[in-house]
Amino acid sequence: MKIVDAKVVLTGPGRNFVTLKVETDEGVTGLGDATLNGRELAVVGYLRDHVVPLLLGSDPHRIEDTWQFLYRGAYWRRGPVTMAAIAAVDTALWDIKAKVANLPLYQLLGGASRDRVRTYGHASGRNLPELFDSIRARLAEGYPAIRVQTGVPGLKLVYGVRHAQDPGLGARPVVEDWDTGAYLRNLPRVFDAVRQEFGPDLPLLHDAHHRLTPSQAARLGKDLEPYDLFWLEDCTPAENQEALRLVRAHTTTPLAIGEVFNTVFDYQTLVSEQLIDYVRSAVTHFGGVSPMRKLFDFAAQYQIKSAIHGPEDISPVGMAAAIHLDLAIHNFGIQEYSGHTDLTNAVFRHAYTFTDGHLHPGEAPGLGVELDEELAAAHPYEPAYLPVNRLQDGTVHDW
Ligand code: EZ4
Ligand code: CO
């Protein structure tokens, strides 16, 4: 079997996605997600100009060898653009192998370790009444666990959620404002109110989006202990693994980290010193299904569980790959799931289902996703950026 073509499909059905479609001489095709929110075109160029020409003529069954060839062969290792590109190739080759075997991908990963995959959804509001409505809406949709984000008194926007783009800005990022002191004073009150309203049993999560110093994160973890969080996510900037030592020493609030990581090296200290409870990488940004499987096996030795990143900027192709892994691995924790719009689901028709707050990858061979290339072409890419964040004196802060 030979790879005869590989197309990079860039589409914007409401938001932008980058998809690799690998074609073989036997007519079997495979899909991989390479979406890098706000930097999509860099991955398109990397794939189209430097990866696709190298794939032509090679054997699609040699997944591990192809991964090593692209990773080691580039000489310039790691980084989000490189690893998103490699992820798309790896995922597409797994899709092909599973289709040839006529099995859903999870069967090639060892088969199902559970019947279904539990998820968490996002709730947010500028104030408590809005937040409560948002939590009720997620509960009505069936979500068994909820990520809680709120506005901070005195600040303009709720961070970590998509804002309507001011048309005057064009493709420029929205600028958010930030005050760590106000946030640290406000958040325990918010969780106190949420617990009073929704009771002790509902699993609650929170994402601090890399905004805190180690001592601020340690204090927040302690202040939130009475509210029994499922986790506190990305409490300090991701680059410095050692920072988590101080946080860990001061709080029993479970910690999750890693959505911006792109190789296992970003986790070495965090996992081997057992400084976190959940690894958050996405198939799409971590080099594909193969390295994710290795990460989960590494984490399993330290009682650390999976929590694959699943925002809307992971395409249904990346989501499907995640759900197959979730079903198969032993140390599954939880799956973030925001769902996609009807239009996105029409561009990427998928076999996975969301029922009673739980996902299942379906039984279609491969990933179980089909790309409607005509519909994709009818919705072209439009430049869009994530927000940036400034302190009230104008200094750029972590987002
Ligand atoms: O802000 O994926 O846990 N989920 C998140 C996401 C990220 C976006 C960035 O593109 O933090 O919502
Ligand atoms: Co996050």
Side-chain angles (χ1 to χ4, degrees):
M1 203 173 187
K2 273 194 172 53
I3 296 173
V4 291
D5 199 6
K7 275 190 227 163
V8 185
V9 178
L10 177 62
T11 179
R15 69 176 312 134
N16 297 316
F17 297 108
V18 180
T19 311
L20 182 71
K21 182 176 181 185
V22 176
E23 300 180 359
T24 64
D25 56 349
E26 295 181 18
V28 183
T29 62
L31 298 176
D33 179 24
T35 307
L36 189 60
N37 199 0
R39 297 292 184 273
E40 295 87 357
L41 300 184
V43 191
V44 170
Y46 192 108
L47 279 168
R48 188 196 52 215
D49 300 334
H50 300 295
V51 172
V52 169
L54 302 181
L55 292 178
L56 301 180
S58 63
D59 177 357
H61 279 303
R62 296 184 63 173
I63 300 175
E64 180 67 19
D65 182 65
T66 303
W67 195 95
Q68 300 295 344
F69 176 84
L70 292 174
Y71 180 77
R72 292 174 203 278
Y75 188 66
W76 311 107
R77 298 177 188 210
R78 307 167 66 182
V81 175
T82 299
M83 299 314 290
I86 296 177
V89 175
D90 182 87
T91 306
L93 298 190
W94 276 109
D95 190 19
I96 289 171
K97 191 183 282 293
K99 282 180 184 168
V100 170
N102 199 27
L103 291 169
L105 175 60
Y106 75 84
Q107 293 290 11
L108 271 56
L109 301 173
S113 284
R114 57 196 50 76
D115 301 330
R116 56 185 195 160
V117 168
R118 78 167 159 169
T119 67
Y120 70 91
H122 294 183
S124 62
R126 280 169 299 183
N127 47 43
L128 285 178
E130 267 188 29
L131 174 64
F132 287 3
D133 285 349
S134 179
I135 294 174
R136 282 189 200 102
R138 294 296 87 73
L139 291 174
E141 287 160 7
Y143 281 102
I146 312 281
R147 187 187 86 164
V148 170
Q149 308 294 129
T150 68
V152 175
L155 300 185
K156 287 182 302 199
L157 297 166
V158 183
Y159 74 90
V161 299
R162 206 175 179 196
H163 311 299
Q165 185 86 343
D166 174 351
L169 278 174
R172 306 273 307 165
V174 171
V175 179
E176 297 180 348
D177 56 345
W178 185 245
D179 175 344
T180 305
Y183 164 80
L184 290 173
R185 288 188 294 277
N186 182 58
L187 198 66
R189 289 185 217 138
V190 169
F191 274 93
D192 189 53
V194 171
R195 278 290 175 226
Q196 283 187 38
E197 182 73 13
F198 294 93
D201 297 331
L202 179 63
L204 298 174
L205 303 80
H206 178 73
D207 192 342
H209 258 255
H210 322 276
R211 291 173 181 221
L212 307 176
T213 64
S215 54
Q216 289 166 344
R219 172 183 150 196
L220 181 64
K222 280 209 298 206
D223 288 350
L224 293 176
E225 278 171 22
Y227 312 112
D228 189 25
L229 263 61
F230 187 93
W231 78 40
L232 172 63
E233 175 181 343
D234 285 337
C235 58
T236 54
E239 293 91 335
N240 183 8
Q241 298 183 48
E242 288 75 12
L244 271 291
R245 288 185 186 134
L246 187 135
V247 183
R248 193 63 154 176
H250 284 90
T251 180
T252 57
T253 294
L255 302 172
I257 214 159
E259 70 188 37
V260 301
F261 291 176
N262 47 69
T263 72
V264 73
F265 299 103
D266 301 321
Y267 284 108
Q268 264 180 344
T269 303
L270 294 172
V271 170
S272 62
E273 294 187 20
Q274 221 155 339
L275 301 179
I276 54 172
D277 300 274
Y278 296 91
V279 293
R280 296 241 51 220
S281 291
V283 176
T284 308
H285 303 131
F286 201 76
V289 172
S290 304
M292 288 287 277
R293 183 70 211 232
K294 295 173 190 178
L295 169 66
F296 295 140
D297 288 345
F298 173 45
Q301 298 174 56
Y302 300 90
Q303 292 177 285
I304 296 170
K305 293 187 173 181
S306 76
I308 300 181
H309 193 210
E312 285 168 74
D313 46 288
I314 300 293
S315 86
V317 176
M319 231 17 250
I323 301 164
H324 284 279
L325 275 161
D326 292 334
L327 199 75
I329 61 171
H330 177 252
N331 56 329
F332 168 74
I334 200 164
Q335 174 64 57
E336 184 180 32
Y337 182 65
S338 304
H340 289 102
T341 62
D342 290 344
L343 180 58
T344 296
N345 288 330
V347 171
F348 301 93
R349 284 191 309 275
H350 54 78
Y352 66 78
T353 50
F354 178 69
T355 315
D356 297 332
H358 292 72
L359 289 157
H360 192 281
E363 301 297 340
L367 290 171
V369 184
E370 278 172 48
L371 174 65
D372 183 332
E373 289 180 59
E374 252 174 62
L375 193 57
H379 298 278
Y381 165 83
E382 280 180 35
Y385 289 94
L386 281 162
V388 296
N389 189 25
R390 291 186 186 274
L391 303 180
Q392 285 169 321
D393 72 354
T395 310
V396 171
H397 195 60
D398 299 279
W399 191 80

